[in-house]
Amino acid sequence: MESTNEPRPGDDAFNGFQMSLPENCVEYMLFIINDQPEAQRTTLSSLETIRKVALQRLDELTKDYIWQREPLKLETRIDNGLVYLHGRTDYGDNVEDEWLIVYFLRTLSISFPNLWIRIFDSDGEFLLIEAAKVLPKWLSPENDTNRVWINRGQLRIIPLLPSSSSSSSSSPPSSKAHHQISLHEALSIIRTNPNILIHSPLIEAEAFYRLEKYPGQIASSLHHTLVTIPRKLAYILHERPKAVAPAIEAFYLRDPASLKPLLSPTPDSLLFPPTDLVTISVRLTKVLYAQLKSQHFDPPPVWREHFLQAAQLNEGGGLSVSEKDEGKQALQKLQTLARLEMGMKLTTGFEILARGAEKSDSRVAREVALLLEDLAEDGEEAALPTDEEIRKWKDVDREDDDTWMDIDFADFERELAGGGGQGQTQQQQQQQKAGEDNRGAGGDAIPTFGDSTTQADLRKIVSRFEAFLNDETAGLDGAEIDEMDQDDDDDDEEDSDIDMDSEDEDKEVSFDEEQFSRMMREMMGIPTTPTSTTTKSETTASQNPDTRGKGKGKDEDVDMGKDEQEELEALMAQMEKELNSYGALQLDPQKAKTKTSTRALKGEVEEGSSKGETREIVKTTAADGESDDDDDMDDEEEEEEGGGDDVDLDYNLAKNLLESFKSQAGMAGPAGNLLGLMGMTLPRDEEDLDGEGKS
């Protein structure tokens, strides 16, 4: 089997260490491919034109959007003889930033027909990951690098070329290095023979499925909330509204060292002291809102007084109010505390951000620091807005509903069952229709799980999972192995023959619990009932569909198996008899002597005495203190034997087995497991508790 590792230093195929993208990063490359010689000479100027147009359109599209960490960036790069636009964006925890970039670059490629775009992230070709269910067999993570391109809004895939495939068309190549293509090779194929590129509408629909909700998703991903913050911070947010993202991330990733300045009991040392508080609406993404709201954070000392005042709001008035007014006051108090808590968290984030602006690489953080310096120079009283000016700001009192954060388990189960989509039953559809009719009359409609986008994504996840479970091509071994993961060895046919034989053998092998129990009893010297075992074996053989009705060859194999089993059992019985005769299994000398005397006496009275007389002689000769209960047990065993010969029980083996069971101290062990397999359950030994020992 050939190794699939990357080439190492010193190998002929080694071309330097491959750089991998950091986590949560997306990288994109924009090339202009044109066969005209004049166009190649003006490539640099054309790329600069595209860069300016792209940045202008991006500002218009994302005017009110807030990026999680970094926006889309484009810069001209000349590397290894290639001239192209390159960019890398760290989208952090908000994957919607990545898909917004895909949407924007796809629309940009429609405006420039000669523009070819390659985009990938830390997971690789994530567009193919989205369309993994409909990809062809030959396309795998081993060979998809540099094969996926976007041109004129379409997804194009470079196929396997005859020169890059195996020498024989009937067998796949054994090394994935033969399937990979470099960036230069991919651009050469696009430039010389673009008609061979594959454009599959099915793959494209799956890969670009998330783009269907754009551009409306840009506005849907935003959330407005009311917060109570210092007036200075309200001014900063009004001047730089996109600074809320790095501030929330600073709060979300806080450490004890960054919180140390906030532990001061006086607000004089703070950049944003909790004085002169105002309540305004802040615009941020749903991801940022969830990060801020979900964090548990105890108020710093300088904020505790404000929380105490908010908790005592409308208390101690001494006036009797109605229950309705009490409910309104309680709701107002909860809203006041919630807005104060969100404002306290946001202010803490800006405090951490502003203090670390000098060492930060964020341009927004440095802009916040410059605004604070300007306020210090001009004077806060003259520069800060008044209450009247704040009321004139756009959407200053806007507060969106945040019930999208609440997940009802019943609604979730209903959506999984198809209650919100095409899988609704007739009764559910009638109930939903009745709820919609009652909405205008003051009735409550049937609740829905999340918004329409969430429902669509959930249905798609469920449909893909059901398709995976209902995949008839998948076998017991799990996922199907493509040709790319198989080795072209000479012994493939031999392995397949062995696997087929193993499958046939597995079909004929079954575990007979009663037969195993009988064999274990024979090995331990415990008497068995041959008739019941034989009947069970015959019944099992007659009811087993794998050993019945398969032709003459199968019947002969079964008969041969029975003969071999009988011979094996006879051989085991003979060996045990010989070992017992020589005392090999008798570890107790006194017991061995007793049994030898028993056999001698049995030989003397064998011809004219009955079994009762023989047993009396054995009892008299042994004289080892056995009670009458042992005689009754022996009589019962003789009756079960049905008149057969006496059986020499290996009491030493039973003694060792009981001692082994006792040593387990109630825990699992070999003796208990063997007895359990034979259907025997022994009680706990309480002799240690009683303080008595066995003689």
Side-chain angles (χ1 to χ4, degrees):
M1 178 177 177
E2 295 187 12
S3 176
T4 58
N5 295 330
E6 297 290 341
R8 299 180 179 181
D11 298 342
D12 295 337
F14 181 72
N15 191 22
F17 293 101
Q18 300 296 324
M19 299 295 293
S20 59
L21 277 177
E23 189 177 1
N24 300 330
C25 281
V26 58
E27 188 172 351
Y28 31 91
M29 304 176 179
L30 286 69
F31 297 87
I32 291 181
I33 299 179
N34 199 326
D35 296 336
Q36 301 296 330
E38 297 81 3
Q40 296 180 2
R41 289 193 295 266
T42 60
T43 299
L44 190 60
S45 60
S46 300
L47 288 175
E48 183 63 22
T49 301
I50 293 176
R51 190 185 72 86
K52 293 180 179 179
V53 173
L55 295 179
Q56 181 181 359
R57 293 183 180 181
L58 183 66
D59 292 339
E60 297 175 357
L61 182 66
T62 61
K63 180 180 180 181
D64 297 330
Y65 188 73
I66 299 176
W67 299 90
Q68 182 75 14
R69 287 186 179 175
E70 299 176 349
L72 181 142
K73 299 175 294 185
L74 290 175
E75 60 181 6
T76 305
R77 176 173 293 187
I78 302 177
D79 186 16
N80 293 331
L82 300 177
V83 182
Y84 57 96
L85 294 176
H86 176 267
R88 177 187 294 181
T89 299
D90 184 1
Y91 54 85
D93 295 332
N94 192 1
V95 72
E96 292 296 335
D97 288 0
E98 181 180 25
W99 288 104
L100 176 58
I101 292 174
V102 176
Y103 167 77
F104 176 76
L105 294 178
R106 185 189 182 192
T107 56
L108 186 66
S109 66
I110 298 176
S111 302
F112 299 93
N114 295 328
L115 184 64
W116 291 77
I117 302 173
R118 165 167 156 70
I119 183 170
F120 54 96
D121 63 5
S122 54
D123 294 329
E125 304 293 341
F126 65 95
L127 294 178
L128 295 184
I129 295 177
E130 291 292 318
K133 191 62 180 178
V134 296
L135 292 180
K137 298 291 184 181
W138 59 267
L139 190 58
S140 67
E142 297 178 349
N143 61 7
D144 62 357
T145 306
N146 298 318
R147 291 187 183 275
V148 184
W149 296 81
I150 300 176
N151 176 249
R152 301 186 182 186
Q154 298 178 347
L155 189 71
R156 300 296 186 93
I157 301 175
I158 299 177
L160 290 177
L161 300 180
S163 58
S164 63
S165 62
S166 61
S167 58
S168 175
S169 59
S170 59
S171 61
S174 58
S175 176
K176 69 174 185 178
H178 295 165
H179 300 283
Q180 292 180 346
I181 58 175
S182 63
L183 183 60
H184 287 80
E185 292 174 345
L187 294 174
S188 177
I189 294 172
I190 296 174
R191 185 177 293 106
T192 57
N193 198 0
N195 296 327
I196 66 171
L197 270 68
I198 300 174
H199 172 239
S200 172
L202 183 60
I203 298 177
E204 180 178 293
E206 290 291 328
F208 292 151
Y209 169 75
R210 299 198 185 193
L211 303 185
E212 296 178 358
K213 53 189 177 183
Y214 286 94
Q217 178 64 17
I218 298 176
S220 300
S221 62
L222 298 177
H223 183 84
H224 293 76
T225 183
L226 291 174
V227 295
T228 302
I229 55 178
R231 190 181 299 271
K232 183 192 296 187
L233 181 56
Y235 168 76
I236 297 293
L237 282 173
H238 182 69
E239 295 294 328
R240 295 292 184 272
K242 296 187 178 182
V244 68
I248 293 178
E249 186 173 54
F251 172 77
Y252 190 72
L253 303 176
R254 65 189 181 277
D255 56 11
S258 61
L259 294 176
K260 189 175 181 180
L262 296 172
L263 301 179
S264 174
T266 58
D268 298 336
S269 60
L270 299 179
L271 297 177
F272 298 97
T275 56
D276 193 11
L277 301 180
V278 295
T279 301
I280 64 171
S281 179
V282 177
R283 182 180 73 251
L284 41 94
T285 62
K286 291 182 177 180
V287 174
L288 293 173
Y289 178 78
Q291 288 180 338
L292 192 65
K293 188 176 180 62
S294 61
Q295 286 285 297
H296 177 73
F297 183 67
D298 294 331
V302 293
W303 282 86
R304 293 172 184 171
E305 182 180 355
H306 297 280
F307 279 90
L308 292 176
Q309 294 177 358
Q312 297 174 359
L313 184 66
N314 298 327
E315 290 185 359
L319 299 177
S320 60
V321 294
S322 61
E323 295 182 358
K324 184 177 181 181
D325 293 337
E326 288 182 357
K328 290 182 178 179
Q329 292 179 3
L331 180 60
Q332 182 180 0
K333 182 188 300 183
L334 291 177
Q335 291 178 349
T336 302
L337 287 173
R339 295 167 183 173
L340 184 62
E341 181 183 7
M342 293 290 288
M344 179 262 299
K345 294 178 181 179
L346 187 60
T347 305
T348 302
F350 270 95
E351 185 78 27
I352 298 173
L353 179 68
R355 288 183 176 274
E358 296 180 356
K359 301 179 181 180
S360 177
D361 296 333
S362 175
R363 181 176 58 88
V364 178
R366 293 192 296 269
E367 291 178 355
V368 171
L370 291 176
L371 287 175
L372 290 176
E373 292 178 2
D374 294 341
L375 284 176
E377 294 177 359
D378 299 339
E380 296 182 1
E381 296 181 359
L384 294 181
T386 62
D387 293 341
E388 295 180 359
E389 294 175 346
I390 291 176
R391 283 193 292 267
K392 295 179 182 180
W393 290 351
K394 181 181 179 181
D395 296 332
V396 69
D397 296 328
R398 179 177 174 179
E399 185 175 22
D400 297 339
D401 188 11
D402 62 352
T403 54
W404 51 269
M405 291 187 63
D406 302 329
I407 299 178
D408 189 358
F409 182 76
D411 294 341
F412 182 74
E413 289 289 339
R414 181 170 56 84
E415 289 293 333
L416 287 178
Q422 300 177 354
Q424 286 181 312
T425 61
Q426 184 177 2
Q427 181 179 2
Q428 290 173 336
Q429 292 177 355
Q430 292 177 357
Q431 292 177 357
Q432 185 174 0
K433 183 177 180 181
E436 293 176 355
D437 295 339
N438 293 332
R439 184 179 301 170
D444 294 333
I446 296 178
T448 58
F449 177 78
D451 52 13
S452 58
T453 304
T454 305
Q455 296 177 18
D457 293 340
L458 182 60
R459 294 191 195 105
K460 189 171 184 65
I461 293 173
V462 174
S463 63
R464 288 182 175 180
F465 184 72
E466 290 178 349
F468 173 76
L469 293 180
N470 298 328
D471 188 3
E472 297 180 355
T473 60
L476 297 177
D477 295 333
E480 183 180 359
I481 300 177
D482 296 336
E483 295 179 352
M484 296 301 171
D485 299 329
Q486 296 178 353
D487 294 330
D488 189 15
D489 298 334
D490 297 334
D491 55 348
D492 287 345
E493 296 181 358
E494 297 179 2
D495 294 340
S496 62
D497 294 340
I498 294 175
D499 294 338
M500 293 178 63
D501 295 340
S502 300
E503 292 177 359
D504 295 339
E505 292 176 0
D506 293 339
K507 294 179 180 178
E508 298 179 3
V509 173
S510 59
F511 178 75
D512 191 342
E513 183 178 356
E514 186 168 346
Q515 184 178 3
F516 175 77
S517 176
R518 178 178 59 82
M519 295 179 62
M520 290 298 300
R521 289 175 182 270
E522 290 180 355
M523 293 177 61
M524 297 175 62
I526 302 176
T528 58
T529 305
T531 56
S532 61
T533 305
T534 305
T535 305
K536 176 66 177 178
S537 301
E538 293 175 355
T539 304
T540 305
S542 61
Q543 293 180 354
N544 193 348
D546 295 334
T547 60
R548 182 184 61 193
K550 290 192 176 182
K552 182 178 180 181
K554 296 293 183 179
D555 295 339
E556 292 178 356
D557 294 340
V558 174
D559 295 338
M560 293 177 62
K562 290 182 178 179
D563 296 339
E564 294 178 357
Q565 181 68 20
E566 293 176 357
E567 293 178 0
L568 179 61
E569 293 176 358
L571 180 61
M572 291 175 60
Q574 183 179 358
M575 291 178 61
E576 184 179 2
K577 183 177 180 181
E578 293 180 0
L579 291 173
N580 283 326
S581 64
Y582 288 102
L585 299 180
Q586 308 299 326
L587 302 181
D588 190 348
Q590 183 65 28
K591 189 69 65 178
K593 181 178 179 181
T594 301
K595 290 198 171 186
T596 304
S597 301
T598 302
R599 293 192 183 93
L601 291 174
K602 284 172 62 179
E604 294 177 359
V605 299
E606 185 177 6
E607 294 182 353
S609 60
S610 62
K611 292 181 181 179
E613 296 172 352
T614 304
R615 184 160 299 280
E616 287 292 328
I617 298 174
V618 172
K619 272 198 334 179
T620 304
T621 307
D624 55 355
E626 295 180 355
S627 63
D628 296 338
D629 295 337
D630 296 336
D631 299 337
D632 298 337
M633 185 182 299
D634 294 339
D635 295 339
E636 293 177 359
E637 292 177 355
E638 289 179 3
E639 293 176 0
E640 293 178 359
E641 289 291 333
D645 297 335
D646 286 343
V647 178
D648 293 333
L649 298 179
D650 193 348
Y651 291 101
N652 189 59
L653 178 60
K655 176 184 177 183
N656 293 337
L657 189 62
L658 291 175
E659 290 180 353
S660 176
F661 179 78
K662 177 183 177 182
S663 65
Q664 295 178 190
M667 305 297 290
N673 294 338
L674 286 175
L675 293 174
L677 291 174
M678 293 183 292
M680 301 173 61
T681 304
L682 296 181
R684 291 175 59 95
D685 189 1
E686 304 294 345
E687 89 169 32
D688 295 337
L689 298 177
D690 299 339
E692 299 177 357
K694 291 182 180 181
S695 59

